[in-house]
Amino acid sequence: MVQLTQHLFTKVKKPLRNYLKQGFRDSLRILVSGGPGGNGLPKFGGIGGKGGDVIIEAKEAITLETVFGSNKSKRYQAEPGRSASHNFILGTPGQDQVFQVPVGVSVVTDFGKKLGELNAEGERLIIAKGGTGGHSKNGFLGTRGQSCSVKLDLKLIADVGLVGFPNAGKSTLLRAISDAKPKVASYVFTTVRPHLGMVTYEDHRQISIADLPGLIEGAYANRGMGHQFLKHIERTKLLLMIVDINGFQLSYQYPHRSCLETIMLLTKELEMYNPDLLYKPSILLVNKMDSDQSDERYKEVKNTLKTFKDFISSYSEEVRPKSILKFTDVLPISAKTSDDDIKMVKRRLRTMLDVMSEMGAKEEVIDLYNDTRQSLAERGPSLV
């Protein structure tokens, strides 16, 4: 009887969901300390060895979760320099502390100073310098190394950034066109962490797409998931905005937004976070075209986008962006039911990125839209 009672009142631990087991860490605060310099030797003019530096090195195929798992103390200390002696007039320098971090990491101090960023495999950055060895100008006393707390901030590097409100079909699209397997369901906030998928073509060309968790109104003010995921858009080459032709309503507490209002609000979120995002080349996908009356609604969307500034002028400044995204293309699709639409999107993404690559870096990013349109037109009317 006692055993039965204990069993009834024993708390059963539920297994963690997969996404909680895996986690997604895009920032990590660590304490770094350069090694102190060794003392010099006044009698013989000996010079102490320099303290070691703390250095990070960019590495593909690792995550910040990997970095955390390899050193849960989050402390990195370089070796001290060796002091000068009768046998060693020149002290041996301390060994550097080198550890690997993901490509795309930037390093920021507690005071907001950016120390640098790593954008390619093999790049290195000193984040804490070792102390100077003792010599005649500092009284032969070695100095301390730099010691501070810094944040490793990861921004995903991808060719395409997929943005949209919750339940717009981003995860469905990513599953259909790439090897990523994000969770898909008919409720909002299915995606709780970014997914990076690779689109592979028959000739083995690959394009990376980052599916970012759904934004909500006020994300720029850190509501919902806010800046935690908006920052990943900054390093993408192309914006792929996806909206529901039927509009969107987060919950009964929020008003229902039409498809056009959704485009306006997404543009507002991007603008409030970083106005430069509105000058990125962008494509608009109008999803769920298999729903009732979608053709009529799409015609309205396509026509209104031609005079979108007039449309948004009737809304308050709180929701109205100052600038608008100039979509290079607007594509009606059904990500869930049409394989032809998926193939069309894949072709379009490749064409856009190829044209952008041929154009190269532009001094004036504001001209990128017109130059891209012109280059696409030269390839054929069907591409514009």
Side-chain angles (χ1 to χ4, degrees):
M1 184 65 181
V2 174
Q3 292 180 348
L4 179 61
T5 304
Q6 289 177 343
H7 176 73
L8 291 174
F9 288 95
T10 299
K11 185 177 181 180
V12 179
K13 293 185 177 181
K14 296 182 179 180
L16 287 175
R17 296 179 180 179
N18 289 332
Y19 73 85
L20 292 176
K21 290 179 182 178
Q22 298 169 359
F24 178 79
R25 190 184 296 271
D26 57 6
S27 64
L28 178 64
R29 191 172 298 280
I30 61 174
L31 181 64
V32 293
S33 301
N39 292 327
L41 189 62
K43 184 176 181 180
F44 297 102
I47 300 176
K50 174 186 174 300
D53 300 328
V54 179
I55 302 172
I56 57 174
E57 180 181 25
K59 177 71 174 177
E60 295 279 6
I62 68 170
T63 65
L64 284 182
E65 193 66 37
T66 307
V67 177
F68 174 71
S70 63
N71 184 359
K72 293 188 176 181
S73 68
K74 299 188 291 186
R75 294 175 179 268
Y76 294 87
Q77 169 89 46
E79 290 187 354
R82 186 172 178 178
S83 297
S85 65
H86 294 81
N87 297 326
F88 299 96
I89 298 300
L90 297 177
T92 306
Q95 186 173 352
D96 296 333
Q97 170 69 272
V98 182
F99 64 100
Q100 295 177 330
V101 297
V103 174
V105 157
S106 59
V107 184
V108 183
T109 68
D110 288 342
F111 299 101
K113 181 181 177 181
K114 186 176 180 179
L115 301 181
E117 59 183 37
L118 304 178
N119 294 320
E121 184 165 10
E123 286 186 354
R124 286 191 169 196
L125 177 67
I126 298 175
I127 56 177
K129 294 182 178 179
T132 305
H135 51 81
S136 58
K137 294 184 179 180
N138 61 9
F140 294 96
L141 295 176
T143 62
R144 294 180 178 179
Q146 293 178 335
S147 181
C148 60
S149 172
V150 298
K151 183 174 73 169
L152 304 178
D153 195 21
L154 175 65
K155 294 180 182 178
L156 295 177
I157 299 178
D159 296 313
V160 180
L162 189 56
V163 295
F165 282 149
N167 212 30
K170 300 189 308 301
S171 297
T172 301
L173 178 68
L174 191 67
R175 285 177 66 96
I177 66 176
S178 76
D179 57 0
K181 300 300 179 185
K183 186 177 180 182
V184 176
S186 58
Y187 51 86
V188 299
F189 289 121
T190 304
T191 304
V192 294
R193 60 190 179 93
H195 289 281
L196 191 62
M198 298 299 297
V199 180
T200 304
Y201 296 84
E202 293 181 357
D203 60 354
H204 303 293
R205 166 75 184 279
Q206 288 188 323
I207 291 175
S208 56
I209 300 182
D211 171 25
L212 308 178
L215 304 177
I216 64 172
E217 294 181 46
Y220 66 86
N222 229 13
R223 297 176 189 166
M225 297 178 182
H227 287 193
Q228 183 178 358
F229 297 125
L230 266 175
K231 65 181 182 181
H232 295 295
I233 305 174
E234 294 183 80
R235 285 187 172 172
T236 57
K237 301 174 184 176
L238 173 68
L239 288 183
L240 188 61
M241 181 182 290
I242 184 168
V243 294
D244 188 336
I245 188 61
N246 302 305
F248 172 71
Q249 184 176 17
L250 181 63
S251 69
Y252 69 91
Q253 298 174 334
Y254 290 80
H256 180 273
R257 301 296 189 181
S258 69
C259 180
L260 289 163
E261 289 174 331
T262 300
I263 298 170
M264 176 184 67
L265 291 169
L266 284 170
T267 305
K268 177 70 173 181
E269 297 300 332
L270 296 176
E271 181 185 67
M272 293 298 294
Y273 177 72
N274 184 352
D276 291 340
L277 294 176
L278 301 189
Y279 296 115
K280 281 183 179 287
S282 55
I283 295 176
L284 175 66
L285 300 183
V286 182
N287 193 24
K288 303 186 182 179
M289 289 296 295
D290 54 327
S291 57
D292 294 337
Q293 299 180 341
S294 58
D295 291 336
E296 291 78 7
R297 290 171 180 165
Y298 175 71
K299 288 179 182 178
E300 179 187 357
V301 170
K302 193 72 180 287
N303 291 330
T304 306
L305 285 175
K306 296 176 182 178
T307 55
F308 199 50
K309 284 189 176 181
D310 296 334
F311 171 79
I312 66 175
S313 63
S314 60
Y315 290 85
S316 65
E317 293 185 1
E318 184 179 355
V319 297
R320 184 181 73 240
K322 295 179 181 178
S323 302
I324 59 172
L325 273 169
K326 294 183 178 180
F327 298 109
T328 307
D329 209 345
V330 180
L331 304 176
I333 67 167
S334 177
K336 188 175 182 180
T337 62
S338 177
D339 292 337
D340 290 339
D341 288 350
I342 297 301
K343 293 177 182 178
M344 175 185 64
V345 173
K346 291 177 66 173
R347 289 195 304 268
R348 192 58 180 172
L349 291 177
R350 177 169 183 163
T351 301
M352 277 288 297
L353 291 171
D354 286 347
V355 167
M356 292 166 58
S357 177
E358 292 173 4
M359 289 167 53
K362 294 288 182 181
E363 295 181 0
E364 296 291 336
V365 295
I366 196 169
D367 293 331
L368 193 54
Y369 168 77
N370 291 327
D371 292 345
T372 303
R373 293 282 294 181
Q374 181 178 354
S375 297
L376 289 172
E378 292 172 356
R379 291 183 173 223
S382 61
L383 296 179
V384 182

